[in-house]
Amino acid sequence: MKKYYQPEIETMPVEELQALQSERLVKQVQFVYDNVKFYHEKMDEAGIKPEDIKGIEDLHKLPFITKDDLRDQYPYGLLAVPLEDCVRIQSTSGTTGRRVVAFYTQEDIDLWDECCARAIVAAGGTKEDVCHVCYGYGLFTGGPGLNGGSHKVGCLTLPMSSGNTERQLQFMTDLGSTILCCTPSYAANLGEAVNERGLKDKIKLKAGIFGAEPWTEEMRHNIEESLGIKAYDIYGLTEISGPGVSFECEEQAGMHIQEDHFIAEIIDPNTGEVLPEGEVGELVFTCITKKAFPLLRYRTRDLCRLTREKCSCGRTHVRMMKPKGRSDDMMIVKGVNVWPSQIETVLLNQGYQANYQIVVDRVGNNDTIEVQVELTPEMAENPTMTVAEREKKIVAGLKSMLGIKVDVKVVEPKTITRSEGKAVRVVDKRHLY
Ligand code: ADP
Ligand code: ZN
């Protein structure tokens, strides 16, 4: 079937794509070396000259750049063009430490819009769609990114921003939104609101493009059911541009990385060594087309694996499997590695919704971990088990998933704060001491 809009570059044979990457990388390294003092010094220190980079096979020679480097260089240290050539900034949410500010030229914005447009098309979007964007607008990249992509596809764009669920539902029903763009946690929240108000037959949504935070397959399934849509994953980060660095196609089996703009590597987070395809490690990106803020070998701290296996959609770009979170999302509790996504899987498999919170604390020298999860309204109305029985069952499920005893508290519906943007799943009180 002919796609509504799909640049040939997305289906280019891999060898050609890699030749293009090599050509762009060589130019970019020279550009960055000439224009960013920080890189110039870092490459000199490492004894690398721009001419040493002849293609993607030499990428591993370049030094990494980390979030700490970005913080040290705040605000202008990594700018590669005169400030007067920049037209926009965006910023990370900066929950820990200094915010990171990224700069964009008009060309950088255009390429970002292009990536988001490709994501919308991959989710089945055409100019006939009504694209309801309730990612936050402002410094956060979610809203502006999908907004730009939606314009580019030619959809009618509803720049809703996040929050005010009543208004979201009103516009969604009155204007017949067909594509929903927001965080998966807000999508779950909207799904709940739609069903509570009996609006499922009144909405026209067919697809959702959800990202900016980790979410499990179980959560995808719940959202698809509650809104009657197909839910697609989208990934990105402010440092590299924003959402659209990679996105899912109709296969919903990993996100295609936009390799004409970004080169991805997977490294061993401890040694920095590049790992072979298929191994799980830290994702590293090199921007080969961006001008204002072109990071080379940026360590994302996101852990995932890549695959070049052929995808039935025809896209040749490498796929990244759902990241299970950042290396810093992993908690060490009672000496064991715990990922919030593992807990989510256990809860959703036992029929709960993604309304849960994890509280980690320390009593004396011992870690404590408690998971609070809401009863669904059906569970509260037609109890088939007592709360004590439910808690016991979850404790057993978590024990077999994590290998440790987790305290579980099943709470009444609507006790846990709903998220409008990125959900805060973990409260780690140990950091307060
Ligand atoms: P902040 O660092 O303030 O959260 P961003 O808004 O740029 O800044 O967030 C980017 C991060 O969000 C990524 O590095 C990744 O950890 C997470 N993220 C984005 N999209 C996804 C996704 N689809 N799945 C999992 N994690 C994601
Ligand atoms: Zn595909």
Side-chain angles (χ1 to χ4, degrees), residues 67 92-94 140 212-214 233-234 236-238 302 323 326 422:
K67 193 137 184 165
T92 58
S93 32
F140 177 53
E213 62 183 1
D233 202 355
I234 183 169
L237 61 169
T238 315
D302 290 322
R326 289 183 182 174
K422 297 194 189 216

Side-chain angles (χ1 to χ4, degrees), residues 8-25:
E8 269 171 22
I9 209 140
E10 282 192 275
T11 52
M12 199 180 220
V14 175
E15 307 71 57
E16 274 177 50
L17 184 62
Q18 291 183 334
L20 178 74
Q21 287 186 320
S22 286
E23 188 193 314
R24 290 182 169 177
L25 175 69

Side-chain angles (χ1 to χ4, degrees), residues 20-33:
L20 178 74
Q21 287 186 320
S22 286
E23 188 193 314
R24 290 182 169 177
L25 175 69
V26 169
K27 277 195 203 136
Q28 185 77 317
V29 170
Q30 185 70 54
F31 171 74
V32 166
Y33 185 79

